[in-house]
Amino acid sequence: MALRRFSHITTVFLLTIYRAISLVSVGWPDTLPLGLLDLDIVDKIHLDLNTTTQFSIDYGQLSQAAPAAVYCPSSPDDIAALVRFAYTSPRYFTIAARGRGHSVRGQAFAPGGVVVDMASLGRGRADRLNVSSDDAPARWYVDAGGEQLWIDVLHETFKHGLTPRSWTDYLHLTVGGTLSNAGISGQTFRHGPQISNVYELDVITGKGDMITCSREENSDLFYGVLGGLGQFGIITRARISLEPAPQRVRWLYLVYTNFDMFTRDQEMLISKLEKGFDYVEGRLLKGKDVSSSSFISEEDSEKIKLLADEFGAIYLLEGAVYYEQAMASMVYQELESLLKQLSFVPGFAFTKDVSYIGFLDRVHEEDTKQSSTEHEDVLHPWFNLFLPKSRIRDFESAVFKGILKNNNPVGLLLIYPFNKNKWDDKMLAAIPDEEEVFYTIGLLPSATREDWEYLDKQHHEILSFCHQEGIDFKQYLPQYVTETDWMKHFGRKWDVFVQLKRRYDPKALLSPGQRIFTTPL
């Protein structure tokens, strides 16, 4: 009886969705007998302008594309039913799973289709985050719903004295969202990106099939979905590896005026996988970018600002060492010894002792303080690249000291290295092939309606420079619109990418906002 009722409700719900898509896309007449609608299902479908407008913009605020409907599922079964209906319908429609809408170029849009509000899966449910272990006690993991925020994953696992190994700098993003890209941060050099730390996934494919996959089972889907930009399935659960959580973090800012010394020290630090830093990032700073924060006092920020003004720009190496309170004295001694091997400006080493959770959630804390003074119409034309180690000096000369020399918009400019051997080559995330160490460059400005196009023009100048100089770069969170560019981006992995699309989403229903496949295969 319960199964028959589910089938009836699902059918009525899907007819409602189909009617909405049809009216928006082809102007079909209103023929659905509304008296058949089940109130419980109707409540999950949102066709009103306020809701569809809300889901037509993202964090970047650079573009807008309205869906025909927004669907708020209460279970993965609801999502699978939607996708199956879209796949089997004579006039199929596109579907985009959306977490917190933190994309910046419309990657989670579904123009004229259906946006699935993934946050609905976790509302009022405590069973979407579960910490457990295999028969082998050493392998602990958390089963996290694709809609779960990483900050909630952190708090839940920390209750058990455990933590995921790899993070993003901003934790108020969804598990499914970051795993569809890669998930990078200052821990990546040691543990690889977040996608390298997953044991298992539950995925809904573009045919509506619900498939559990891992390195051993349905491995092609597993490797494809992790870093696959949402093209082969919607992640509804991820089994993420855990390790014992540290109690404290020794957090460091080290200031450099010489780029070669800055990068040399970063590369040395990521090579020390024992008794070294647990977190390594870096950034370029100009005087206008320096301000006091929860880490830097007003006195120290003024000191750094004067140095930046003197040299035009400086480089900040941000590091961290994790430890247990009982080991504090020994950790401090080892850290002092390590600092003697580095070439930062004397007198410009700043340290602070913080909790582990406080360190990991630091970006959100600072963002919360700044958001009170930031206007709602601030745009975020972000741009991210991966570059081989051997070309980072060329990039610094031509871009940091050339194209970006007179930049005015405020924002972060990140520069830090990864170890290639910590990335699983079977996964589809695109990284430079040439060398064992490569850098990420993150240009993360806040812009206005008046200057964002100027910044975009600079980004195109940077890409042109890389092309002209033959630099083997890859965009992270790529922003291409032609098949030729996508083929070049994925390189030797493109054929596998197309094969997986043909196998798991042949009608190109999923993640249309990525603009990789615009017609069925």
Side-chain angles (χ1 to χ4, degrees):
M1 178 67 74
L3 182 60
R4 286 199 299 271
R5 183 175 186 276
F6 172 80
S7 177
H8 165 71
I9 290 175
T10 301
T11 300
V12 173
F13 150 63
L14 292 173
L15 285 172
T16 308
I17 286 286
Y18 195 34
R19 167 177 170 266
I21 304 303
S22 299
L23 289 172
V24 170
S25 61
V26 297
W28 283 9
D30 182 356
T31 58
L32 183 70
L34 296 179
L36 295 177
L37 295 180
D38 184 291
L39 184 59
D40 179 56
I41 292 299
V42 172
D43 287 345
K44 298 177 183 178
I45 309 165
H46 298 274
L47 311 175
D48 60 284
L49 184 61
N50 286 339
T51 302
T52 56
T53 299
Q54 177 187 343
F55 284 81
S56 69
I57 56 175
D58 59 16
Y59 182 70
Q61 297 200 65
L62 304 175
S63 59
Q64 186 169 345
V70 175
Y71 176 48
C72 299
S74 58
S75 72
D77 288 330
D78 289 343
I79 301 174
L82 170 68
V83 179
R84 280 195 298 272
F85 182 78
Y87 181 71
T88 57
S89 298
R91 284 189 177 274
Y92 54 85
F93 49 88
T94 58
I95 297 169
R98 173 178 166 129
R100 286 303 174 101
H102 211 266
S103 58
V104 297
R105 299 279 176 169
Q107 288 94 332
F109 289 171
V114 176
V115 169
V116 178
D117 179 16
M118 295 296 288
S120 299
L121 287 177
R123 290 186 184 130
R125 296 184 59 175
D127 61 343
R128 301 289 294 164
L129 270 176
N130 296 287
V131 175
S132 189
S133 68
D134 289 335
D135 293 336
R139 199 178 95 151
W140 284 90
Y141 58 81
V142 57
D143 282 322
E147 80 288 348
Q148 294 294 311
L149 300 183
W150 283 100
I151 184 64
D152 296 326
V153 174
L154 172 61
H155 285 301
E156 182 62 28
T157 57
F158 199 76
K159 294 175 185 177
H160 301 265
L162 300 166
T163 177
R165 297 180 173 92
S166 190
W167 297 97
T168 55
D169 281 323
Y170 186 69
L171 302 188
H172 294 250
L173 305 173
T174 62
V175 168
T178 66
L179 294 183
S180 295
N181 290 281
I184 60 173
S185 184
Q187 303 92 352
T188 300
F189 80 91
R190 182 178 292 277
H191 299 294
Q194 290 180 312
I195 57 175
S196 294
N197 294 273
V198 177
Y199 293 139
E200 186 178 273
L201 298 171
D202 284 345
V203 174
I204 297 171
T205 72
K207 297 179 180 180
D209 297 326
M210 303 177 70
I211 299 177
T212 297
C213 55
S214 66
R215 287 176 172 82
E216 296 78 31
E217 180 183 8
N218 300 307
S219 60
D220 63 334
L221 183 61
F222 179 79
Y223 290 122
V225 168
L226 293 170
L229 306 180
Q231 292 303 298
F232 317 114
I234 297 172
I235 298 172
T236 59
R237 178 187 64 91
R239 178 165 291 181
I240 302 158
S241 64
L242 301 176
E243 67 178 5
Q247 295 174 329
R248 306 293 297 174
V249 175
R250 193 68 169 176
W251 186 10
L252 303 96
Y253 277 5
L254 309 175
V255 178
Y256 294 72
T257 56
N258 182 286
F259 185 76
D260 291 334
M261 291 181 177
F262 166 70
T263 54
R264 184 190 65 194
D265 283 358
Q266 283 191 314
E267 290 163 18
M268 184 272 283
L269 288 168
I270 71 164
S271 72
K272 296 177 72 69
L273 298 183
E274 294 184 11
K275 294 187 176 181
F277 283 14
D278 295 292
Y279 174 98
V280 175
E281 286 197 9
R283 66 184 75 163
L284 180 150
L285 288 175
K286 297 181 180 180
K288 64 181 177 60
D289 300 322
V290 180
S291 61
S292 59
S293 66
S294 59
F295 186 100
I296 296 292
S297 67
E298 288 189 16
E299 180 181 352
D300 287 337
S301 67
E302 186 61 28
K303 181 180 174 182
I304 296 172
K305 185 178 185 301
L306 290 173
L307 188 69
D309 289 339
E310 178 184 351
F311 285 87
I314 57 175
Y315 302 94
L316 178 69
L317 193 159
E318 182 179 14
V321 177
Y322 305 157
Y323 67 95
E324 302 302 318
Q325 189 63 56
M327 305 296 290
S329 178
M330 184 182 73
V331 168
Y332 293 168
Q333 291 177 14
E334 291 176 349
L335 181 57
E336 286 301 316
S337 176
L338 181 57
L339 291 179
K340 291 177 182 177
Q341 303 174 44
L342 305 180
S343 301
F344 55 86
V345 178
F348 282 81
F350 307 93
T351 63
K352 184 176 182 178
D353 197 74
V354 296
S355 70
Y356 180 64
I357 290 180
F359 173 73
L360 291 181
D361 200 32
R362 68 201 180 283
V363 174
H364 175 69
E365 292 298 318
E366 289 297 326
D367 188 60
T368 300
K369 295 176 184 177
Q370 293 177 7
S371 63
S372 61
T373 60
E374 190 176 80
H375 298 295
E376 289 184 3
D377 60 350
V378 169
L379 282 62
H380 301 96
W382 290 2
F383 178 69
N384 299 270
L385 291 178
F386 292 155
L387 302 173
K389 165 188 166 181
S390 64
R391 306 306 301 271
I392 192 65
R393 187 67 177 82
D394 297 333
F395 193 88
E396 186 255 353
S397 298
V399 177
F400 300 155
K401 293 182 177 178
I403 296 173
L404 301 179
K405 183 177 181 179
N406 297 316
N407 254 22
N408 290 320
V410 175
L412 289 176
L413 200 166
L414 301 176
I415 316 158
Y416 59 99
F418 300 135
N419 292 313
K420 182 182 174 183
N421 63 6
K422 296 296 181 178
W423 294 64
D424 192 327
D425 191 52
K426 293 180 182 179
M427 296 173 185
L428 295 181
I431 63 176
D433 282 331
E434 295 177 355
E435 301 169 17
E436 289 305 310
V437 171
F438 65 95
Y439 276 80
T440 182
I441 307 295
L443 307 179
L444 313 179
S446 297
T448 66
R449 297 283 172 190
E450 288 71 38
D451 59 19
W452 82 267
E453 290 181 340
Y454 165 74
L455 294 174
D456 241 23
K457 182 180 177 182
Q458 286 189 328
H459 299 163
H460 287 294
E461 288 182 45
I462 293 170
L463 292 177
S464 295
F465 162 75
C466 291
H467 285 303
Q468 291 168 7
E469 295 300 314
I471 297 176
D472 177 30
F473 74 91
K474 299 294 182 184
Q475 282 197 51
Y476 179 60
L477 310 177
Q479 307 163 11
Y480 297 117
V481 295
T482 70
E483 183 175 299
T484 299
D485 285 335
W486 282 113
M487 289 174 66
K488 186 168 184 178
H489 173 74
F490 286 106
R492 59 186 172 80
K493 297 182 179 181
W494 174 249
D495 288 344
V496 174
F497 201 92
V498 173
Q499 290 169 12
L500 290 173
K501 188 68 172 179
R502 187 173 289 119
R503 185 177 305 155
Y504 292 110
D505 184 23
K507 291 190 176 180
L509 304 182
L510 302 180
S511 295
Q514 296 283 2
R515 294 180 291 185
I516 303 175
F517 300 96
T518 56
T519 58
L521 278 70

